[in-house]
Amino acid sequence: MRIGELARRTGVSERALRYYEEQGLLTPERRPSGYRVYGDADVAAVRRIRILLAAGLNTAQILEILPCIVDEDGWLTPECPELVEALREQRSRIDDAIGELETTRANLDTIIGGEKAAASRGTRPPS
């Protein structure tokens, strides 16, 4: 199938599919005319790529782990033992980022609360 058909079947733009190819995530065959030719396995590969992107992995990480991910009845499963530890590390980084965002939100809540308190007193906080 050509890139337009793969885009239609996966719901991913042709631009994104070209980007995946640039990153080494997809390796379509090339016709002498230069057209890309994809197979049914590429539909599954794009699905795995999208799930891994949604899980917070970047394309460099996905390139490294994609060969170790198998699709078992719609569930992505790590096949290589070392991959599980790498995914745990990624989850830990996400947990750290969530903690930082929660602190940022709490600081904003404090600032917003100070603005509300000043408004109820009819004063404005100093600039």
Coordinates of all heavy atoms in Angstrom, one line a residue, residues 108 110-127:
L108 N 0.7 28.5 42.1 CA -0.3 29.3 41.4 C -1.5 29.5 42.2 O -2.1 30.6 42.3 CB -0.6 28.7 40.0 CG 0.4 29.0 38.9 CD1 0.1 28.2 37.7 CD2 0.6 30.5 38.6
T110 N -1.8 29.5 45.4 CA -1.4 30.4 46.5 C -1.5 31.9 46.0 O -2.1 32.7 46.6 CB 0.0 30.1 47.1 OG1 -0.1 28.8 47.6 CG2 0.3 31.1 48.1
I111 N -0.9 32.1 44.8 CA -0.9 33.4 44.2 C -2.4 33.8 43.9 O -2.8 35.0 44.2 CB -0.1 33.5 42.9 CG1 1.4 33.3 43.3 CG2 -0.3 34.8 42.1 CD1 2.3 33.0 42.2
I112 N -3.1 32.9 43.3 CA -4.5 33.2 43.0 C -5.3 33.5 44.2 O -6.1 34.4 44.3 CB -5.2 32.1 42.2 CG1 -4.5 32.0 40.8 CG2 -6.7 32.2 42.1 CD1 -4.8 30.7 40.0
G113 N -5.1 32.7 45.3 CA -5.7 32.9 46.6 C -5.4 34.3 47.1 O -6.3 35.0 47.7
G114 N -4.1 34.8 47.0 CA -3.7 36.1 47.5 C -4.5 37.2 46.7 O -4.9 38.2 47.3
E115 N -4.7 37.0 45.4 CA -5.4 38.0 44.6 C -6.8 38.1 45.1 O -7.4 39.1 45.2 CB -5.3 37.6 43.1 CG -6.1 38.5 42.2 CD -5.4 39.9 42.1 OE1 -4.2 40.0 42.3 OE2 -6.2 40.8 41.7
K116 N -7.4 36.9 45.3 CA -8.8 36.9 45.8 C -9.0 37.5 47.2 O -9.9 38.3 47.4 CB -9.3 35.4 45.9 CG -9.6 34.8 44.5 CD -10.1 33.3 44.7 CE -10.3 32.6 43.4 NZ -10.7 31.2 43.6
A117 N -8.0 37.3 48.0 CA -8.1 37.9 49.4 C -7.9 39.4 49.3 O -8.7 40.1 49.9 CB -7.0 37.3 50.2
A118 N -7.1 39.9 48.4 CA -6.9 41.3 48.2 C -8.1 41.9 47.6 O -8.6 43.0 48.1 CB -5.7 41.6 47.3
A119 N -8.8 41.3 46.7 CA -10.0 41.8 46.1 C -11.1 41.9 47.1 O -11.9 42.8 47.1 CB -10.4 40.9 44.9
S120 N -11.2 40.9 48.0 CA -12.3 40.9 49.0 C -12.1 42.0 50.0 O -13.0 42.5 50.6 CB -12.4 39.5 49.7 OG -11.3 39.3 50.5
R121 N -10.8 42.4 50.2 CA -10.5 43.5 51.1 C -10.6 44.9 50.4 O -10.5 45.9 51.1 CB -9.1 43.4 51.7 CG -8.9 42.2 52.6 CD -7.6 42.3 53.4 NE -6.5 42.4 52.5 CZ -5.8 41.4 52.0 NH1 -6.1 40.2 52.3 NH2 -4.7 41.6 51.3
G122 N -10.8 44.9 49.1 CA -10.8 46.1 48.4 C -9.5 46.7 48.1 O -9.4 47.9 47.8
T123 N -8.4 45.9 48.3 CA -7.1 46.4 48.0 C -6.4 45.6 47.0 O -6.9 44.5 46.7 CB -6.2 46.3 49.3 OG1 -6.1 45.0 49.7 CG2 -6.8 47.2 50.4
R124 N -5.4 46.1 46.5 CA -4.6 45.3 45.5 C -3.2 45.0 46.1 O -2.7 45.8 46.8 CB -4.4 46.1 44.2 CG -5.7 46.4 43.5 CD -5.6 46.9 42.1 NE -5.3 45.7 41.3 CZ -4.6 45.7 40.2 NH1 -4.1 46.8 39.8 NH2 -4.4 44.6 39.5
P125 N -2.7 43.8 45.8 CA -1.4 43.5 46.4 C -0.3 44.5 45.7 O -0.6 45.0 44.6 CB -1.1 42.1 45.9 CG -2.3 41.7 45.1 CD -3.3 42.8 45.1
P126 N 0.7 44.7 46.4 CA 1.8 45.6 45.8 C 2.3 45.0 44.5 O 2.5 43.8 44.4 CB 2.8 45.7 46.9 CG 2.6 44.6 47.9 CD 1.1 44.2 47.7
S127 N 2.7 46.0 43.6 CA 3.2 45.6 42.3 C 4.7 45.3 42.4 O 5.4 45.9 43.1 CB 3.0 46.6 41.3 OG 1.6 46.8 41.2

